[in-house]
Amino acid sequence: MRRDSGGRIDRSRVLRFTFDGRELTGHPGDTLASALLACGVRIVGGSVDLGRPRGVFTAGAEEPNALVRVGDEPMVPATTVELRDGLEAWSLRGRGRLGPALPPGGARPVPGAPSGAAGRPGTDRSPGAAGRPGAGAPPGEPRHDKAYLHCDVLVVGGGPAGLAAALAAGEVGARVVLLDDQPEPGGDLLSSRVLLDGGPAPDWVSSVAARLAALPEVRVLSRTTAIGYHDHNYVVAVERRGGCRLWHFRAGRVVLATGAHERSVAFPGNDRPGVMLASAARTYANRYGVLPGRRAVVFTCTDSGHEAARDLAAAGVEIVEIVDPRRDGSLVVGTLADREGALAGAVIGGAAGERAAACDLLAVSGGWNPAVQLFSQSQGRLRFDETLQAFVPHLSAQAERSAGACRGVYGTAAAVADGFAAGSQAAELAGVREREVFRVPECDEPAQSPPAALWTVPARRPSPDRPAGAAGTAPAAPDPSDSTAEAAHGPGAGGDAEAFVDLQRDVTVADLGRAAGAGLRSVEHVKRYTTAGTGAEQGKTSGATAVGVVAALLGVEPGQVGTTTFRPPYTPVAFGVLAGRDRGALSDPIRVTAMHDLHVARGAVFEDVGQWKRPRYFPLDGESMAEAVERERRAARTGVAAIDASTLGKIEVVGRDAGEFLDRMYPNTLSTLPVGSCRYSVMCGADGMVLDDGVITRLAEDRYLVTTTTGNAAAVLDRLEEWRQTEWPDLDVSFTSVTDHWAVVAVVGPRARPVAEALVTDVDFADFPFMTCRESRFGRVFRISFSGELAYEINVPRWFGAALWEAALERGAVPYGTETMHVLRAEKGFAIVGQETDGTVTPQDLGMSWIVSARKPDFVGRRSHSRPDTARPGRKRLVGLVPDDPREVLTEGAQLVASPGGRRMLGHVTSAYPGVALAMIRDVRAGDRLFAFDARRGCEVPVTVTDPVFHDPQNARRDGDPPDVRLEPVRGYGARSALAGFGGRFAAAGSCGAMIREVPLVPMREARGEAPVEERGRKGLRLGPDWWLVVGGRLVAGGPPGVDVSGQRAVVRLSGPRAGDVLMTGCRIDLHPAVFTVGAHTRTLLARVPVVLHRIEPDAYLILVCSSLAGYLAEWLLDALEGL
Amino acid sequence: MSARAHPDFLWRNPDPRPSYDVVIVGGGGHGLATAYYLAENHGITDVAVLEKGWLAGGNMARNTTVIRSNYLWDESAAIYEHSLKLWEGLSAELDYDLMFSQRGVLNLAHSLHDVREGRRRVNANVLNGVDAEWLDADEARAFCPILEVGGHTRHPVLGATLQRRGGIAKHDHVAWGYARGADALGVDLIQGCEVTGFEITGGRVRAVLTSLGRIAAGTVALAAAGHTSVLAARAGLRLPLQSHPLQALVSELLEPVLNCVVMSNAVHVYVSQAHKGELVMGAGIDPYTSYGQRGSFHVIEEQMSAALELFPIFKRVRVVRTWAGIVDVSPDASPIIGTTPVDGLLVNAGWGTGGFKATPGSGWVYADTIASGRPHPLAEPFGLERFTTGALIDEHGAAAVAH
């Protein structure tokens, strides 16, 4: 029932909402729970196992009963839902529901309906049993995002202690963030009638809030719940703001001011709708202007219960009786129910026997539990305080301090004083030197006396003939005035079996008793045996009571039992909030080559290779994959074709000891490679197994270019760095990734030369032997082949890649993708790392004994090659397979057996194309007949073992056809920047305080050396120890050697007053202008992409990002701007 | 309420005796199963299980309870399939409802590479007598109707392997079933008893030193999962193990929505819906080594992003609890079972991210190894020697979690 006045609600406006289809109203300022209570709704759901009716029990996030479906939200506490117009809510039976909305009746317990009807997952496979995506899908999804922020002092909780702490730290100049989970700060003061300095407490709150708002370095976040306290003062919080923002704070000091949770007492029938925590009843009366009942019994072990009784009385609730065991030992020993199972009265036991008192509200205060969840998450240690009868913080594990009620300091004035002390200390420890003295306001609260140590009301007499769970079917409620003690409990009263410890999981004192009787001594075991504390409230209302009951059962102190482990999140958090914007196209970074847009325009079908998108084939109109691949293959074998090979990893290895280093890392000898020559190699792990392969070219005496497979580029670079840094720091060698700097077009086929000659006009192709490299003013050309045909791999800086590709195609090269590439190399018997190999294959197994130097003293993997199992005969090795039917395509992954029906596996098919396949098999020789087993096909295909080289075993085709035409030579290539396609969208997006522009085509070089690299006053950006990036300009002559990386990175300029707000949503570093100053730069992650971030003006940043990831980052930035 | 799912009595809480024939170090699933099979299969009941904390409170209490046997290599398939066959009779054997539910396990393929490897594994499984099927994307969607396979997702589902006999069980029930069985056969389960050292003379272990005093033992069998390397170091052994945090989480209770187990190695997600109704999900391992049973929050965030690509319907489901266990990963992602250079000291470790499913089989072969003093045939390939000979059993591809 709504009071006529009072509370922090706006009675001038009416909000309409529905609950289980009933049309109801409330006001701004209401929660769904307060509005339901105001409308007289007492039963808000059924319990999960027993199906007992349940009502609103708390006024906060710890609510165990009032979990309802709201709109599409499957299950949320009604106590945390701010009422809004048009809200639709349904009751539940302890389980959330996805997909279609509930019927108007909701899931409230129906009298007479069998309980425990909820089905078990996994037992029904009919389509109806599983929700379908899209069913009942909402029109618009809320937009969730993330943010990262550093501060000196993070204060969690905006009650009296938290406000005081934030003020004390903020007024001396500390960078402070204050989090509070309510729409407005104040905490318990919003529910209180105490006077501070003679005025209402909310006035003091307002004055503090105003002072905080005036401090530029203080940020107050309302509707924000800290959910996780991780190592190194890393605190994660959820802010509800339309969608949700997942905040990540890195704090110098943390002040926890999280308050305390009131607890109940486990007495029979303590779960009926109408039984409510005393502090909640007071909150509904004072803050929401709602009478949670008309006639109340207050059952309290604490002084705060009396305060609640005074406040309820002042609001107009008739206080029938205050039962305080501290006064006379009297207890509430049972409850009476009305027809629906809601509270009709309380049974009070005392020295004089038992009597019933009619009431519709039973306000219970069993004591207070400091909210130590975050403290415990931070690895802080608790102790049990005998006076407070509660677990309180004991030893901190991090730079943290608790203040106020969350460390057992109760009372408003004491909490404020503790908050001031905590805030001042935190600021000082965080390095702020100012001191200021803060005055604690005068408060009219009486002094507090200790609570009673009461966890459960001793069971008097179980009634086994009355099954628990039948309370909902009670006949007419007995008239309490003439009921006997027996009748007072009503049907279903079961003593301990109806004395609930965990309302959400229907765990009773009897259940805890069974657990102890089973031999369980650990509270963790008891939790698992009974499920107490495993619900969405994670023990906030149940945990301490369970510990107290278990301690009593075991005859020990609660402190000896201890608590279960507190884990994140503090309150439940939706999967979608944790995912933030990392959904759909932004769920994982995408890498593309300089030619990507052209491939898309040509209708390429792509495959994912790591994060890269690679064209798999280029179908013409109506072509199947097989037809397209055959056409592409024919072009490469008989004419000329081209593939975009830009994705292969490329690393420049530079230094006096580059050759020596590579000799140690690869099994063959590379120090003897002549300048300008190429050599194929494989990289082995320490276990001798093949990890990667590629071609290594000596560019100069002290300079090599190493290529890697597409998927392993980063892993190989890591590996090179790790071995150099940890094993051979004395070697003079450095590594520079140039994967994104070069765009690569391989021109392949017997007629490749005229095309290559036209594309690269300054190289003498007549004098260009196989496995050599030529420098050109356009870039470099490598004469290497992955197909057996004449091939030139033309490398140009990425800016020119698109033009090169188009020029090649204009001159007759047929574009082909990875599928044809795989066919061509398989026909030639070339293994692919990761396809023929699986981490168990040595170079020798691949038939590459020739690559393993017998002369070198050592290299990574050498020792393992002589281990007994690695050196034994009979290992699987690479062979070819030919099916009897030349059109047959074997199944990649088919297992090979010696005879039909055989089960002993000799090996498996690693690659298969029409008529040819590669396999890793043991104990076979060419000509052997085997059977390829594929369970899916349900047959065994006969095959013949062959040499793996199917095509041109004599390498006669390597030099191609004699050039007989001259094609139109290319005079130059037009440059295209990585983000050329984004200009229009960038321009259109710049109206919200931040704007994005590409800074196109900036020359860059990476250099090594101890001293800062400088040219024309332009200082190199330090990327790491002895590692510099020079942006713009060129290196000074005579300076340290450098590597041209102009194409490696794209440059984005982000500017405007809200540029920092954009970066904050995806960059984890401290961007505060005093820390990341103008002119500063750093390597960091932005949107999970590695970048160099350079602050060039107070509100302008340059973002240097790998070219292949630039498009992804641009999409991310545009999306971020949309969310501003 | 769920207390009624359990027996009235589970185990005694005895004080340790001064000496036992066999001391098992580690009261997790594997240690308890080992104790049970030692007593049940081999009649060896003078056994103590020493547990530092509370029984089955390590990885047994923290895993996501996926059970399957569809491993690639013959040696792995043999031991995991032995385990699965034991699972199929375990509730009856232990007279405890383990809630073992063979609802099927899907392993998703997101790339052509995944497809090849998935098919290879299915074919190997079938030839090894392990049930396995290859499903194309539509079939995978038909089997798991809420799975998003579509081409517009960042990593579309190209197919999946299915083991229909795979599924889940309730981890506590399993551990407690073994514990109750072992206790009833006379095994002493001793909690709060940390092994702080070993008494080794003449190359043979004679006793363990514990927080409750010295306990002599004929055989000492380590079964301490992520903390095995710490224990072994106290016996002077350096094992090829790395311990990493592996995180998992549960949601609030939901009405039935997911009918099978879905695993995706490529995007680091595995998920099932437990009997009570909560979604149980695991992530990829945290990359750093640690013994702290907690992980990095961003791993959870990334896992959620990946999970929502597969199951958009879960976007409003709420996480109620996250945690981590410590997984002991060997170089080839296969376990280490057998003797050590110290006589009488045996090791069973390295189960990494997949130990739960192996609990019955691991206990079975370890008990046999302890009883006979030589490796059980199924355990033989998993000896420590393989790291010297090079006869590795590389299951990185088949492990549920990308290492």
Side-chain angles (χ1 to χ4, degrees), chain A residues 49 95-96 125 131 146 248 514 518 529 567-568 573 575 582 584 838 867 869 935-936, chain B residues 1 3 7-8 103 123 134 139 146 253 255 276 293 301 305 309 317 319 322 387 389:
Chain A
D49 281 332
R95 284 185 175 80
R125 213 157 248 144
K146 301 184 182 179
H248 306 70
R514 284 198 77 230
Y529 190 92
R567 296 281 189 183
V573 52
F575 289 14
D582 301 341
D838 59 3
R867 293 201 288 187
D869 191 78
R936 170 101 177 169
Chain B
M1 170 63 184
D8 288 337
R103 58 185 63 182
N123 291 324
W134 174 256
E139 291 163 335
I146 60 170
L253 304 188
E255 290 180 12
K276 287 199 300 271
Q293 289 169 321
E301 295 180 50
S305 162
E309 291 302 292
V317 175
V319 179
T322 66
F387 300 105
T389 65

Short mmCIF file of all heavy atoms in Angstrom, two decimals, chain A residues 49 95-96 125 131 146 248 514 518 529 567-568 573 575 582 584 838 867 869 935-936, chain B residues 1 3 7-8 103 123 134 139 146 253 255 276 293 301 305 309 317 319 322 387 389:
data_model
loop_
_atom_site.label_atom_id
_atom_site.label_comp_id
_atom_site.label_asym_id
_atom_site.label_seq_id
_atom_site.Cartn_x
_atom_site.Cartn_y
_atom_site.Cartn_z
N ASP A 49 12.49 -25.60 -5.78
CA ASP A 49 12.29 -27.04 -5.62
C ASP A 49 10.94 -27.37 -5.01
O ASP A 49 10.27 -28.28 -5.45
CB ASP A 49 13.41 -27.62 -4.73
CG ASP A 49 14.70 -27.82 -5.51
OD1 ASP A 49 14.61 -28.03 -6.73
OD2 ASP A 49 15.77 -27.75 -4.90
N ARG A 95 13.67 -20.46 -11.89
CA ARG A 95 14.51 -20.66 -13.06
C ARG A 95 14.17 -19.60 -14.09
O ARG A 95 13.00 -19.31 -14.32
CB ARG A 95 14.28 -22.03 -13.69
CG ARG A 95 14.91 -23.18 -12.93
CD ARG A 95 14.75 -24.51 -13.67
NE ARG A 95 15.48 -25.56 -12.97
CZ ARG A 95 15.01 -26.20 -11.90
NH1 ARG A 95 13.82 -25.89 -11.42
NH2 ARG A 95 15.74 -27.13 -11.32
N GLY A 96 15.19 -19.06 -14.73
CA GLY A 96 14.98 -18.08 -15.77
C GLY A 96 14.48 -18.75 -17.02
O GLY A 96 14.61 -19.96 -17.22
N ARG A 125 14.63 -34.18 -26.45
CA ARG A 125 15.30 -33.61 -27.59
C ARG A 125 14.32 -33.04 -28.61
O ARG A 125 14.69 -32.66 -29.70
CB ARG A 125 16.18 -34.69 -28.24
CG ARG A 125 17.39 -34.08 -28.81
CD ARG A 125 18.53 -35.03 -28.95
NE ARG A 125 19.59 -34.68 -28.04
CZ ARG A 125 20.34 -35.55 -27.42
NH1 ARG A 125 20.16 -36.81 -27.60
NH2 ARG A 125 21.28 -35.14 -26.63
N GLY A 131 14.77 -23.70 -26.56
CA GLY A 131 14.37 -22.43 -27.13
C GLY A 131 15.04 -22.23 -28.48
O GLY A 131 16.11 -22.79 -28.73
N LYS A 146 32.54 -1.24 -23.03
CA LYS A 146 33.51 -1.39 -21.95
C LYS A 146 34.29 -0.10 -21.81
O LYS A 146 34.33 0.71 -22.73
CB LYS A 146 34.48 -2.53 -22.25
CG LYS A 146 33.75 -3.86 -22.42
CD LYS A 146 34.67 -5.03 -22.62
CE LYS A 146 33.82 -6.27 -22.82
NZ LYS A 146 34.61 -7.49 -23.04
N HIS A 248 36.61 -1.17 -16.13
CA HIS A 248 37.79 -1.84 -15.59
C HIS A 248 38.66 -0.77 -14.95
O HIS A 248 39.17 0.11 -15.66
CB HIS A 248 38.57 -2.54 -16.70
CG HIS A 248 37.75 -3.48 -17.54
ND1 HIS A 248 36.78 -3.06 -18.41
CD2 HIS A 248 37.77 -4.84 -17.63
CE1 HIS A 248 36.23 -4.11 -18.99
NE2 HIS A 248 36.81 -5.20 -18.54
N ARG A 514 21.24 -32.95 7.90
CA ARG A 514 21.55 -34.18 7.17
C ARG A 514 23.01 -34.15 6.71
O ARG A 514 23.70 -35.16 6.75
CB ARG A 514 20.64 -34.32 5.94
CG ARG A 514 19.24 -34.76 6.26
CD ARG A 514 18.54 -35.32 5.01
NE ARG A 514 18.99 -36.65 4.70
CZ ARG A 514 19.41 -37.06 3.51
NH1 ARG A 514 19.43 -36.22 2.50
NH2 ARG A 514 19.79 -38.30 3.32
N ALA A 518 25.92 -36.78 7.65
CA ALA A 518 26.59 -37.61 6.64
C ALA A 518 28.09 -37.65 6.82
O ALA A 518 28.78 -38.37 6.11
CB ALA A 518 26.23 -37.10 5.24
N TYR A 529 26.49 -30.28 -0.70
CA TYR A 529 25.50 -31.30 -0.34
C TYR A 529 24.09 -30.72 -0.38
O TYR A 529 23.15 -31.36 -0.82
CB TYR A 529 25.84 -31.80 1.06
CG TYR A 529 25.11 -33.03 1.55
CD1 TYR A 529 25.63 -34.31 1.37
CD2 TYR A 529 23.91 -32.90 2.26
CE1 TYR A 529 24.98 -35.43 1.86
CE2 TYR A 529 23.26 -34.02 2.76
CZ TYR A 529 23.79 -35.29 2.56
OH TYR A 529 23.15 -36.38 3.06
N ARG A 567 33.48 -15.44 -4.77
CA ARG A 567 34.00 -15.38 -6.14
C ARG A 567 33.29 -14.28 -6.92
O ARG A 567 32.13 -13.98 -6.65
CB ARG A 567 33.72 -16.71 -6.85
CG ARG A 567 34.44 -17.92 -6.25
CD ARG A 567 35.87 -17.94 -6.71
NE ARG A 567 36.52 -19.18 -6.33
CZ ARG A 567 37.80 -19.44 -6.57
NH1 ARG A 567 38.55 -18.54 -7.18
NH2 ARG A 567 38.34 -20.57 -6.23
N PRO A 568 33.96 -13.76 -7.93
CA PRO A 568 33.26 -12.83 -8.82
C PRO A 568 32.21 -13.60 -9.62
O PRO A 568 32.41 -14.79 -9.86
CB PRO A 568 34.37 -12.31 -9.76
CG PRO A 568 35.67 -12.78 -9.16
CD PRO A 568 35.36 -13.97 -8.31
N VAL A 573 25.95 -11.01 -13.76
CA VAL A 573 26.16 -10.10 -14.89
C VAL A 573 25.91 -10.87 -16.18
O VAL A 573 26.29 -12.03 -16.31
CB VAL A 573 27.58 -9.48 -14.83
CG1 VAL A 573 28.64 -10.53 -14.71
CG2 VAL A 573 27.84 -8.59 -16.02
N PHE A 575 25.86 -12.29 -19.93
CA PHE A 575 26.88 -12.66 -20.91
C PHE A 575 27.12 -11.51 -21.88
O PHE A 575 28.25 -11.18 -22.22
CB PHE A 575 26.43 -13.87 -21.74
CG PHE A 575 26.40 -15.19 -21.00
CD1 PHE A 575 26.48 -15.26 -19.63
CD2 PHE A 575 26.28 -16.37 -21.72
CE1 PHE A 575 26.44 -16.49 -18.97
CE2 PHE A 575 26.25 -17.60 -21.07
CZ PHE A 575 26.33 -17.66 -19.70
N ASP A 582 32.23 -6.66 -28.50
CA ASP A 582 32.96 -7.69 -29.24
C ASP A 582 31.99 -8.75 -29.76
O ASP A 582 32.05 -9.92 -29.38
CB ASP A 582 34.02 -8.35 -28.33
CG ASP A 582 35.01 -7.34 -27.81
OD1 ASP A 582 35.11 -6.24 -28.40
OD2 ASP A 582 35.69 -7.63 -26.81
N GLY A 584 29.61 -10.12 -33.32
CA GLY A 584 29.50 -10.08 -34.77
C GLY A 584 30.82 -9.78 -35.44
O GLY A 584 31.83 -10.39 -35.15
N ASP A 838 51.37 -32.42 -37.97
CA ASP A 838 50.46 -32.19 -36.84
C ASP A 838 51.20 -32.11 -35.53
O ASP A 838 50.67 -32.45 -34.48
CB ASP A 838 49.40 -33.30 -36.78
CG ASP A 838 50.03 -34.67 -36.61
OD1 ASP A 838 51.27 -34.74 -36.49
OD2 ASP A 838 49.28 -35.67 -36.61
N ARG A 867 66.64 -39.09 -30.64
CA ARG A 867 65.98 -39.85 -29.58
C ARG A 867 65.47 -41.17 -30.15
O ARG A 867 65.13 -41.25 -31.34
CB ARG A 867 64.82 -39.05 -29.00
CG ARG A 867 65.28 -37.82 -28.26
CD ARG A 867 64.22 -37.34 -27.29
NE ARG A 867 63.08 -36.72 -27.97
CZ ARG A 867 62.10 -36.09 -27.32
NH1 ARG A 867 62.13 -36.04 -26.00
NH2 ARG A 867 61.11 -35.55 -27.97
N ASP A 869 62.74 -42.89 -30.18
CA ASP A 869 61.49 -42.99 -30.92
C ASP A 869 61.51 -42.14 -32.19
O ASP A 869 60.85 -42.45 -33.18
CB ASP A 869 60.31 -42.55 -30.04
CG ASP A 869 58.99 -42.88 -30.69
OD1 ASP A 869 58.60 -44.06 -30.63
OD2 ASP A 869 58.37 -41.98 -31.31
N ALA A 935 34.27 -43.10 -42.23
CA ALA A 935 33.03 -43.56 -41.61
C ALA A 935 31.83 -42.86 -42.21
O ALA A 935 30.77 -43.45 -42.37
CB ALA A 935 33.10 -43.31 -40.10
N ARG A 936 31.98 -41.61 -42.54
CA ARG A 936 30.86 -40.84 -43.06
C ARG A 936 30.38 -41.40 -44.40
O ARG A 936 29.20 -41.49 -44.65
CB ARG A 936 31.30 -39.39 -43.21
CG ARG A 936 30.34 -38.52 -43.96
CD ARG A 936 29.54 -37.68 -43.00
NE ARG A 936 28.65 -36.77 -43.71
CZ ARG A 936 27.69 -36.08 -43.12
NH1 ARG A 936 27.52 -36.19 -41.83
NH2 ARG A 936 26.91 -35.29 -43.81
N MET B 1 17.59 -28.41 -0.21
CA MET B 1 16.66 -29.30 -0.88
C MET B 1 17.41 -30.44 -1.53
O MET B 1 17.11 -31.61 -1.34
CB MET B 1 15.87 -28.53 -1.93
CG MET B 1 15.04 -29.43 -2.85
SD MET B 1 13.77 -30.32 -1.94
CE MET B 1 13.08 -31.33 -3.24
N ALA B 3 19.92 -31.77 -0.74
CA ALA B 3 20.50 -32.70 0.22
C ALA B 3 19.85 -34.06 0.07
O ALA B 3 20.47 -35.09 0.32
CB ALA B 3 20.31 -32.17 1.64
N PRO B 7 23.18 -39.66 -0.03
CA PRO B 7 22.97 -40.64 1.04
C PRO B 7 23.04 -39.99 2.42
O PRO B 7 23.60 -38.91 2.58
CB PRO B 7 24.12 -41.64 0.87
CG PRO B 7 24.82 -41.27 -0.38
CD PRO B 7 24.44 -39.89 -0.75
N ASP B 8 22.50 -40.71 3.40
CA ASP B 8 22.52 -40.20 4.77
C ASP B 8 23.94 -40.17 5.33
O ASP B 8 24.25 -39.34 6.17
CB ASP B 8 21.67 -41.10 5.68
CG ASP B 8 20.20 -40.90 5.40
OD1 ASP B 8 19.84 -39.83 4.87
OD2 ASP B 8 19.41 -41.82 5.68
N ARG B 103 24.19 -37.26 -23.23
CA ARG B 103 23.37 -36.40 -24.08
C ARG B 103 24.09 -36.01 -25.35
O ARG B 103 23.55 -35.28 -26.17
CB ARG B 103 22.97 -35.15 -23.31
CG ARG B 103 24.13 -34.35 -22.78
CD ARG B 103 23.69 -33.17 -21.92
NE ARG B 103 22.99 -33.61 -20.72
CZ ARG B 103 22.48 -32.78 -19.82
NH1 ARG B 103 22.57 -31.48 -19.99
NH2 ARG B 103 21.88 -33.24 -18.75
N ASN B 123 37.24 -40.84 -37.84
CA ASN B 123 37.58 -42.11 -38.48
C ASN B 123 38.47 -42.96 -37.58
O ASN B 123 38.29 -44.18 -37.49
CB ASN B 123 38.26 -41.85 -39.83
CG ASN B 123 37.27 -41.28 -40.83
OD1 ASN B 123 36.10 -41.66 -40.83
ND2 ASN B 123 37.72 -40.35 -41.67
N TRP B 134 30.66 -37.67 -37.92
CA TRP B 134 30.92 -36.35 -38.47
C TRP B 134 29.60 -35.75 -38.92
O TRP B 134 28.83 -36.39 -39.65
CB TRP B 134 31.89 -36.43 -39.67
CG TRP B 134 32.03 -35.07 -40.30
CD1 TRP B 134 31.47 -34.63 -41.45
CD2 TRP B 134 32.76 -33.97 -39.76
NE1 TRP B 134 31.80 -33.32 -41.67
CE2 TRP B 134 32.59 -32.88 -40.65
CE3 TRP B 134 33.53 -33.79 -38.60
CZ2 TRP B 134 33.17 -31.63 -40.42
CZ3 TRP B 134 34.10 -32.55 -38.38
CH2 TRP B 134 33.92 -31.49 -39.28
N GLU B 139 23.48 -30.51 -39.96
CA GLU B 139 23.23 -31.60 -39.03
C GLU B 139 23.58 -31.20 -37.60
O GLU B 139 22.90 -31.59 -36.65
CB GLU B 139 24.02 -32.85 -39.44
CG GLU B 139 23.51 -33.46 -40.74
CD GLU B 139 24.51 -34.42 -41.37
OE1 GLU B 139 25.73 -34.29 -41.12
OE2 GLU B 139 24.07 -35.30 -42.13
N ILE B 146 19.75 -24.56 -30.87
CA ILE B 146 20.04 -23.16 -30.56
C ILE B 146 21.43 -22.73 -31.03
O ILE B 146 21.83 -21.59 -30.85
CB ILE B 146 19.92 -22.86 -29.05
CG1 ILE B 146 20.89 -23.71 -28.23
CG2 ILE B 146 18.50 -23.05 -28.57
CD1 ILE B 146 20.98 -23.28 -26.78
N LEU B 253 20.03 -20.41 -12.73
CA LEU B 253 19.24 -21.54 -13.22
C LEU B 253 18.33 -21.09 -14.35
O LEU B 253 17.73 -20.02 -14.30
CB LEU B 253 18.38 -22.11 -12.09
CG LEU B 253 19.08 -22.56 -10.82
CD1 LEU B 253 18.10 -23.29 -9.90
CD2 LEU B 253 20.26 -23.46 -11.14
N GLU B 255 15.33 -22.60 -17.33
CA GLU B 255 14.55 -23.72 -17.84
C GLU B 255 15.36 -24.39 -18.95
O GLU B 255 16.26 -23.79 -19.52
CB GLU B 255 13.21 -23.20 -18.37
CG GLU B 255 12.31 -22.71 -17.25
CD GLU B 255 10.97 -22.19 -17.75
OE1 GLU B 255 10.65 -22.43 -18.93
OE2 GLU B 255 10.27 -21.56 -16.95
N LYS B 276 20.31 -29.09 -12.74
CA LYS B 276 19.48 -28.11 -12.04
C LYS B 276 19.04 -27.00 -12.98
O LYS B 276 18.05 -26.33 -12.73
CB LYS B 276 20.26 -27.50 -10.86
CG LYS B 276 20.42 -28.46 -9.69
CD LYS B 276 20.76 -27.72 -8.40
CE LYS B 276 22.03 -26.92 -8.47
NZ LYS B 276 23.23 -27.69 -8.09
N GLN B 293 44.15 -20.14 -7.46
CA GLN B 293 42.96 -20.69 -8.11
C GLN B 293 42.02 -19.58 -8.53
O GLN B 293 40.86 -19.51 -8.15
CB GLN B 293 42.28 -21.69 -7.16
CG GLN B 293 43.12 -22.96 -7.05
CD GLN B 293 42.66 -23.86 -5.94
OE1 GLN B 293 42.30 -23.39 -4.87
NE2 GLN B 293 42.66 -25.14 -6.17
N GLU B 301 35.81 -12.52 -20.38
CA GLU B 301 35.15 -11.61 -21.31
C GLU B 301 35.26 -12.13 -22.75
O GLU B 301 34.29 -12.11 -23.51
CB GLU B 301 35.77 -10.21 -21.22
CG GLU B 301 35.57 -9.54 -19.87
CD GLU B 301 36.21 -8.16 -19.82
OE1 GLU B 301 35.98 -7.35 -20.73
OE2 GLU B 301 36.96 -7.91 -18.87
N SER B 305 32.31 -13.39 -25.46
CA SER B 305 32.18 -12.89 -26.83
C SER B 305 32.09 -14.06 -27.80
O SER B 305 31.22 -14.08 -28.68
CB SER B 305 33.39 -12.00 -27.13
OG SER B 305 33.53 -11.81 -28.50
N GLU B 309 28.67 -15.66 -30.14
CA GLU B 309 28.66 -15.90 -31.58
C GLU B 309 27.98 -17.24 -31.88
O GLU B 309 27.28 -17.39 -32.87
CB GLU B 309 30.08 -15.89 -32.14
CG GLU B 309 30.73 -14.52 -32.12
CD GLU B 309 29.92 -13.50 -32.89
OE1 GLU B 309 29.84 -13.62 -34.12
OE2 GLU B 309 29.33 -12.60 -32.27
N VAL B 317 21.51 -14.09 -20.46
CA VAL B 317 21.75 -15.00 -19.33
C VAL B 317 22.83 -14.39 -18.45
O VAL B 317 23.76 -13.74 -18.94
CB VAL B 317 22.19 -16.37 -19.86
CG1 VAL B 317 22.58 -17.29 -18.71
CG2 VAL B 317 21.09 -16.98 -20.70
N VAL B 319 25.84 -14.56 -15.52
CA VAL B 319 26.85 -15.33 -14.79
C VAL B 319 26.66 -15.10 -13.31
O VAL B 319 26.58 -13.95 -12.87
CB VAL B 319 28.27 -14.85 -15.17
CG1 VAL B 319 29.33 -15.64 -14.41
CG2 VAL B 319 28.48 -14.94 -16.67
N THR B 322 32.25 -17.25 -11.09
CA THR B 322 33.40 -17.67 -11.89
C THR B 322 34.46 -18.20 -10.93
O THR B 322 34.48 -17.84 -9.75
CB THR B 322 34.01 -16.49 -12.67
OG1 THR B 322 34.55 -15.55 -11.73
CG2 THR B 322 32.99 -15.78 -13.53
N PHE B 387 59.22 -38.98 -22.37
CA PHE B 387 59.83 -37.67 -22.62
C PHE B 387 61.32 -37.80 -22.91
O PHE B 387 61.95 -36.87 -23.38
CB PHE B 387 59.56 -36.74 -21.44
CG PHE B 387 58.09 -36.53 -21.22
CD1 PHE B 387 57.43 -37.15 -20.16
CD2 PHE B 387 57.35 -35.78 -22.11
CE1 PHE B 387 56.07 -36.99 -19.98
CE2 PHE B 387 55.98 -35.61 -21.94
CZ PHE B 387 55.34 -36.23 -20.87
N THR B 389 62.44 -40.91 -24.58
CA THR B 389 62.50 -41.65 -25.86
C THR B 389 61.93 -40.84 -27.01
O THR B 389 62.25 -41.09 -28.16
CB THR B 389 61.70 -42.95 -25.77
OG1 THR B 389 60.32 -42.62 -25.58
CG2 THR B 389 62.18 -43.81 -24.60
#
